[in-house]
Amino acid sequence: MENNYLALLYDLIAHPGKGLNQAREDKPWIFLVAVVILSGISIATGATLFVSSFTRVGRVVLFSNLFLVIVLLTFFWVVNVGILHFFAEVWGKRGSVIDLFITLGLAMFPFVFVSPLSLIVEGLGGGRIFFQSFFTIVLLLWCFFLALSAIREVYSSATFEALLILLTPIILFTVFSIFLPLSCILLAILSLPL
Amino acid sequence: MKKENLIIVGILFLCIVSIVMGIYLIGEKTVEGKTRILTRKKGVAVVYLYGPISISRRTSGWARFLPGADSITSELRKIGKITTIKAVVLRINSPGGSIGAVQEIYEEVIRLKEKGKKIVVSMGDVGASGAYYIACAADKIVANPGTVTGSIGVLMSLGNMEELFRKIGIKVEVIKRGKHKDIGSLSREMTAEEKRLLQGLIDDAYDQFLQVVIEGRNLRKSKAEKIAQGQVFTGRQAKDLGLVDEIGNFQDAVRLAGKLAGIPGEPKVIELPKPFPRILGIFSSYFMTNPLQDLMNENSIRLEYILQ
């Protein structure tokens, strides 16, 4: 079983499509929870270590961050599954929401590297903000790529279609966040007595 | 194990080690920061000086982490770096201790004063001898009316077990190079020359103590010499003699420290977090029990500013 998990992790890094497909079939729940928790711990430790260089926050903050990150990560995970599944159906794709839940959870795996990379940034001394930003962007892109592969595997879609499913909520959110305040302002202006 | 599995095990190990190292580093970096976050407003730090003072009670093992002069000087140095701490209350309940340890703490308190922090000493049951030496570095000394203080003097106690050794049939062979290398030996009577040499040490250490009292308490030498005959005083007597500034308890000392530092209202009391020694303190009796070593320590040449 351990070997299966190790092989799964290796595939997740080396052959993401194969790894995610395997996870979809095996449904390794305990492993999934372990990955998400380890990612949460790594994010909380890495982020607190980085922030402590500027504000000198302590271990108490680390433990509260740990709690916060795991809760938010789980919340983000569940909400993301719901939203993406909705848009996948909107675009005419059919797939299992449970499979999406598993594969999107595993797509968070790159976050386990936040802590080692923060440690490297700590050791570099100078240019902390630059290097931390750079590493964060790289990890986010990796997660994005894994999420893309997850949608491709779960909905048996082409890359373009998976990209569409993944980007639709982001685009809509951006549009709403720009237009909603603008429309409110416009409405307020129009409702002013002339 | 397959090569791929080894890679993954390596990655996971790296991640876990980095998390542990990260947690450790956060703790190391943040003793000062934690205090700063807890106290955005100006405050008064409290440093505790309890029990006999020595550099460290043990040099190896976990016991070396138990509070000693090193941990107190380290705490004082940390306080010196924290800008929100404007004053320090040194809470003393100690009969003194070894001269080196006392002087190390004294010097650190002086350095803290030079950094602009106001120092107030608050004495509990006892603040005598070496503990009083340290108190002389403070801006003000506050004691309870019944606090035992004073005992300005130097002490060296050496045993002579020659008779006992003879009775129980122990013969100590001493091989030495250097005439006075076995000075203070347990197994023989001290010579007149040795007594003179040791008295020289005591006199010098006494002069150092006296000088600190004269400078710290702003006393005339003749008056200081009269007080510094090893006698103890109550807090009230000490106030009359100029050895103590105020009669009051710990809270009075905190208020006085706040007032000296110009902190309006009730000052916020800050204690630096130090869970590690606190946890070890639970096991302190386990670490401290070593009767043979304690007996040998008692009979080694060691100058002490300590209340007997």
Side-chain angles (χ1 to χ4, degrees):
Chain A
M1 186 59 93
E2 287 80 9
N3 278 349
N4 283 351
Y5 290 160
L6 293 176
L8 188 61
L9 271 184
Y10 180 78
D11 283 341
L12 215 55
I13 296 168
H15 322 284
K18 187 183 161 196
L20 290 168
N21 209 21
Q22 188 63 43
R24 207 160 61 90
E25 284 170 18
D26 294 349
K27 297 193 178 20
W29 290 107
I30 296 169
F31 174 71
L32 184 65
V33 171
V35 165
V36 174
I37 289 175
L38 192 64
S39 301
I41 294 171
S42 189
I43 292 172
T45 311
T48 313
L49 186 62
F50 175 66
V51 172
S52 69
S53 302
F54 306 99
T55 59
R56 301 205 177 275
V57 292
R59 276 188 194 141
V60 177
V61 176
L62 167 68
F63 293 120
S64 61
N65 275 357
L66 194 66
F67 178 73
L68 197 72
V69 166
I70 291 175
V71 169
L72 283 180
L73 213 60
T74 313
F75 177 76
F76 172 78
W77 178 22
V78 174
V79 169
N80 215 15
V81 168
I83 290 171
L84 291 177
H85 189 69
F86 171 77
F87 282 105
E89 294 223 336
V90 166
W91 290 111
K93 294 288 165 189
R94 292 288 174 269
S96 159
V97 75
I98 296 291
D99 287 355
L100 186 64
F101 185 75
I102 292 167
T103 50
L104 277 187
L106 289 177
M108 287 191 268
F109 172 71
F111 287 135
V112 301
F113 294 100
V114 173
S115 185
L117 292 174
S118 296
L119 213 60
I120 291 170
V121 170
E122 184 70 24
L124 289 172
R128 281 189 177 134
I129 295 173
F130 171 77
F131 285 111
Q132 190 76 30
S133 311
F134 175 75
F135 288 141
T136 307
I137 289 167
V138 169
L139 291 182
L140 283 173
L141 284 175
W142 187 5
C143 284
F144 183 83
F145 173 72
L146 284 180
L148 197 69
S149 303
I151 292 169
R152 273 181 52 187
E153 294 302 323
V154 172
Y155 297 105
S156 311
S157 57
T159 307
F160 173 73
E161 289 170 324
L163 203 62
L164 205 62
I165 294 167
L166 203 57
L167 290 181
T168 312
I170 299 170
I171 292 166
L172 280 178
F173 179 75
T174 313
V175 169
F176 271 116
S177 52
I178 294 169
F179 283 100
L180 200 68
L182 273 181
S183 0
C184 286
I185 294 165
L186 202 66
L187 201 68
I189 292 168
L190 288 176
S191 58
L192 284 173
L194 292 170
Chain B
M1 196 182 267
K2 279 172 28 184
K3 188 182 147 197
E4 292 84 3
N5 290 356
L6 273 175
I7 293 169
I8 294 303
V9 169
I11 288 172
L12 288 177
F13 180 73
L14 179 85
C15 289
I16 291 165
V17 167
S18 69
I19 287 169
V20 173
M21 279 178 72
I23 293 170
Y24 174 76
L25 272 177
I26 291 163
E28 282 296 295
K29 283 169 38 173
T30 56
V31 174
E32 177 192 344
K34 206 181 280 178
T35 313
R36 190 178 293 162
I37 279 173
L38 290 172
T39 61
R40 288 187 194 283
K41 69 174 201 173
K42 294 172 187 173
V44 174
V46 180
V47 176
Y48 294 94
L49 185 56
Y50 282 5
I53 304 160
S54 63
I55 294 291
S56 180
R57 287 164 191 170
R58 292 284 183 274
T59 53
S60 60
W62 289 103
R64 71 182 186 275
F65 295 112
L66 286 169
D70 286 342
S71 68
I72 290 161
T73 52
S74 157
E75 197 175 346
L76 292 171
R77 273 196 299 276
K78 278 174 194 161
I79 285 171
K81 290 177 193 161
I82 303 170
T83 51
T84 49
I85 294 176
K86 300 294 175 191
V88 179
V89 171
L90 198 56
R91 176 70 167 161
I92 291 178
N93 199 32
S94 166
S98 67
I99 291 187
V102 164
Q103 289 179 333
E104 289 215 5
I105 298 173
Y106 174 84
E107 286 303 325
E108 214 52 58
V109 176
I110 294 286
R111 271 184 211 130
L112 208 55
K113 258 173 84 175
E114 285 167 359
K115 283 180 182 166
K117 315 275 184 199
K118 297 292 175 191
I119 316 285
V120 173
V121 160
S122 161
M123 289 178 177
D125 295 326
V126 63
S129 202
Y132 187 77
Y133 186 113
I134 294 166
C136 287
D139 293 296
K140 296 280 178 195
I141 301 176
V142 178
N144 296 301
T147 296
V148 175
T149 187
S151 186
I152 301 163
V154 192
L155 176 77
M156 183 191 284
S157 321
L158 294 167
N160 178 3
M161 299 189 186
E162 192 180 359
E163 281 298 315
L164 176 70
F165 284 179
R166 191 177 299 141
K167 275 183 185 167
I168 59 176
I170 294 176
K171 196 176 175 192
V172 180
E173 293 286 354
V174 177
I175 298 152
K176 63 179 179 181
R177 173 83 187 257
K179 191 179 167 190
H180 300 296
K181 194 60 196 161
D182 67 337
I183 193 166
S185 170
L186 279 173
S187 58
R188 64 173 174 80
E189 182 99 25
M190 198 181 289
T191 66
E193 192 186 1
E194 283 172 342
K195 276 185 187 162
R196 190 178 49 77
L197 280 172
L198 293 177
Q199 189 59 51
L201 292 183
I202 298 280
D203 291 346
D204 187 39
Y206 176 80
D207 287 344
Q208 291 174 35
F209 199 162
L210 195 66
Q211 197 55 37
V212 162
V213 174
I214 289 167
E215 284 172 14
R217 303 304 306 163
N218 208 15
L219 295 175
R220 277 179 288 110
K221 194 179 177 191
S222 56
K223 188 182 177 185
E225 275 174 340
K226 204 174 152 190
I227 297 168
Q229 294 304 319
Q231 66 272 50
V232 290
F233 307 103
T234 64
R236 201 162 56 187
Q237 287 172 328
K239 187 174 185 296
D240 295 339
L241 291 166
L243 293 177
V244 162
D245 296 293
E246 306 277 343
I247 295 294
N249 64 8
F250 173 69
Q251 282 309 319
D252 295 322
V254 171
R255 274 188 220 112
L256 179 62
K259 198 174 148 192
L260 288 176
I263 302 169
E266 196 74 17
K268 187 176 176 69
V269 175
I270 302 158
E271 284 182 39
L272 293 194
K274 39 181 186 288
F276 197 48
R278 206 171 289 164
I279 292 164
L280 283 168
I282 297 166
F283 306 104
S284 59
S285 57
Y286 166 75
F287 291 123
M288 300 307 293
T289 309
N290 191 340
L292 183 63
Q293 192 172 346
D294 290 346
L295 182 71
M296 297 311 285
N297 286 343
E298 282 302 312
N299 286 286
S300 61
I301 290 182
R302 191 179 55 198
L303 293 176
E304 288 180 323
Y305 293 140
I306 196 159
L307 175 70
Q308 278 295 65

